[in-house]
Amino acid sequence: MQWMDEVAFITATRFTRTRMVTICTEKIKFLKAVYPESIVEVVGRIEKTEAVKLTVKVEIYVEQMYGHERNKAIEGTFVFASLDENMHPKRIDKITAKLIGATIK
């Protein structure tokens, strides 16, 4: 979960270029076991944007070190709020959202 939150934070910060804080996690699903000798890939993408909040979907994929299969092991959703320098809610820039095709409500 720590890796997922870190990747979600990086994804949200790269999108907004503002201070972000995790406000909740949702729908964490553990689909497959992750063993110590596995290769793990953590992927985050913006799923939804609002005025000051955004949702990041995070997926963890796992491969066996010497195998050829790649499977989704864990998925979850993280909600972030954008903050200004005084730690107050800050509106997410609409221009940034348009760059990736997102719409802000």
Side-chain angles (χ1 to χ4, degrees), residues 50-61:
E50 296 180 34
V52 296
K53 295 188 314 185
L54 59 84
T55 304
V56 180
K57 173 85 174 228
V58 178
E59 298 171 323
I60 294 182
Y61 294 90

Side-chain angles (χ1 to χ4, degrees), residues 4 7-8 42-44 56-60 74-78:
M4 293 177 78
V7 167
V42 186
V43 178
V56 180
K57 173 85 174 228
V58 178
E59 298 171 323
I60 294 182
I74 307 169
E75 65 182 16
T77 305
F78 293 74

Side-chain angles (χ1 to χ4, degrees), residues 59-75:
E59 298 171 323
I60 294 182
Y61 294 90
V62 63
E63 300 175 31
Q64 297 307 313
M65 185 70 75
Y66 303 105
H68 298 285
E69 236 179 80
R70 177 179 180 262
N71 295 297
K72 187 188 304 184
I74 307 169
E75 65 182 16

Side-chain angles (χ1 to χ4, degrees), residues 3-15:
W3 287 353
M4 293 177 78
D5 189 44
E6 288 175 7
V7 167
F9 171 78
I10 292 166
T11 303
T13 302
R14 286 181 72 195
F15 175 74

Side-chain angles (χ1 to χ4, degrees), residues 26-48:
E26 302 171 343
K27 303 174 190 166
I28 305 296
K29 294 180 186 173
F30 297 89
L31 307 169
K32 297 223 181 253
V34 178
Y35 297 104
E37 296 173 1
S38 300
I39 298 170
V40 175
E41 177 183 4
V42 186
V43 178
R45 65 177 160 66
I46 303 297
E47 194 169 68
K48 178 181 170 187

